[in-house]
Amino acid sequence: MSNPNIGRHLSAEQKAALSERFAVGAPARAPRADARHGEGRGMIIGLMGYAGAGKSEVARHLRERHGFETPHIGRPLKRMLAELLRDIGYDEATIIRFVDGDLKRSLIPELGITSTEAQQTLGTEWGRNCVGADFWLSLWLGKVDRVIQSGGRVVQESVRFANEVDSLRQRGALLVEVQRPGVGPISGHPSEVLPARADLVLQNGGTIADLRSAVDAVLSSKSLCETPVTH
């Protein structure tokens, strides 16, 4: 059965192309020596959505069930913050909780801000504004291009800015927005603004099993061919 919560209307040509590329179990395409980005290579899915929408769960399922690699564009930020907390004197268990766990939105007394706010300002105010708008993106693409050139699959679980969207589009990526009832921006920070309209939308309004089934449907050629849903 098709999933009524997925996507927007696609032309017959788009559906046929997506059906071939994103079929469950389909082998990754071998790269051509003369291929441009997004042609004849592996595939990329870029996830958008507000914090708490379920992007991490989608990325986890794509990795564990469908063999995607999950290099996170924000991984250097997490490592930088972890090293700072380590230098302050926090134990490893607490660092994990602050950086990407249940204390992520709790105040870090020594910094006067939360882990989320620290990563946002490291990423945007320092990295993008002081070093360069493409700083983090260039680091991430260096890893991703090697994967897709070898026919691998990549999911980026946190697409936040227009230049990231542009680079993903150039590589033939599928942009998916994860929506969850009652979840919206947690602040007015620029990284909290969705950077583009997605190709498909996943509605995360049920259980984790429901969300995983919706992800499987996105990768199913049958679902893509039978889902003319608009958003």
Side-chain angles (χ1 to χ4, degrees):
M1 296 176 60
S2 61
N3 190 321
N5 295 322
I6 302 174
R8 62 181 175 88
H9 182 71
L10 302 175
S11 68
E13 183 179 354
Q14 287 174 315
K15 290 175 184 176
L18 287 171
S19 296
E20 178 184 352
R21 287 187 63 195
F22 297 97
V24 174
R29 294 179 177 180
R32 297 198 320 266
D34 62 343
R36 296 189 297 273
H37 285 309
E39 293 185 2
R41 301 189 176 193
M43 57 184 282
I44 307 176
I45 293 179
L47 302 178
M48 300 187 300
Y50 299 115
K55 301 186 300 296
S56 295
E57 183 58 40
V58 172
R60 182 181 300 111
H61 185 63
L62 286 170
R63 181 182 68 247
E64 296 176 353
R65 172 67 178 83
H66 299 285
F68 280 70
E69 295 192 36
T70 55
H72 198 301
I73 196 169
R75 187 170 297 166
L77 305 177
K78 298 178 186 296
R79 290 177 174 173
M80 291 168 69
L81 179 58
E83 189 58 36
L84 176 60
L85 295 176
R86 197 171 288 118
D87 193 67
I88 290 173
Y90 283 100
D91 61 84
E92 293 302 313
T94 304
I95 290 173
I96 292 172
R97 293 178 66 195
F98 268 130
V99 172
D100 212 15
D102 63 307
L103 297 181
K104 190 173 181 178
R105 296 184 182 89
S106 298
L107 184 74
I108 301 173
E110 294 82 358
L111 302 184
I113 56 177
T114 68
S115 170
T116 296
E117 292 168 329
Q119 292 179 55
Q120 286 178 331
T121 52
L122 275 173
T124 303
E125 281 77 358
W126 180 73
R128 288 179 58 87
N129 296 348
C130 293
V131 181
D134 293 331
F135 176 56
W136 304 115
L137 179 62
S138 296
L139 295 176
W140 183 75
L141 289 175
K143 303 171 185 176
V144 170
D145 284 343
R146 288 192 292 271
V147 175
I148 63 174
Q149 286 168 8
S150 64
R153 295 178 167 191
V154 172
V155 57
Q156 161 56 1
E157 72 171 78
S158 187
V159 180
R160 297 184 180 275
F161 293 98
N163 62 333
E164 297 171 11
V165 171
D166 291 343
S167 291
L168 289 173
R169 293 284 193 207
Q170 291 168 12
R171 288 157 174 79
L174 180 72
L175 290 181
V176 177
E177 180 183 347
V178 184
Q179 295 181 352
R180 186 176 183 179
V183 171
I186 59 176
S187 71
H189 193 268
S191 64
E192 289 289 325
V193 179
L194 299 184
R197 178 170 176 166
D199 301 308
L200 300 172
V201 174
L202 287 178
Q203 295 289 352
N204 182 18
T207 65
I208 291 179
D210 292 334
L211 180 60
R212 291 170 179 169
S213 294
V215 172
D216 293 338
V218 169
L219 294 180
S220 165
S221 58
K222 186 173 188 296
S223 175
L224 287 167
C225 287
E226 295 182 357
T227 310
V229 179
T230 59
H231 73 89

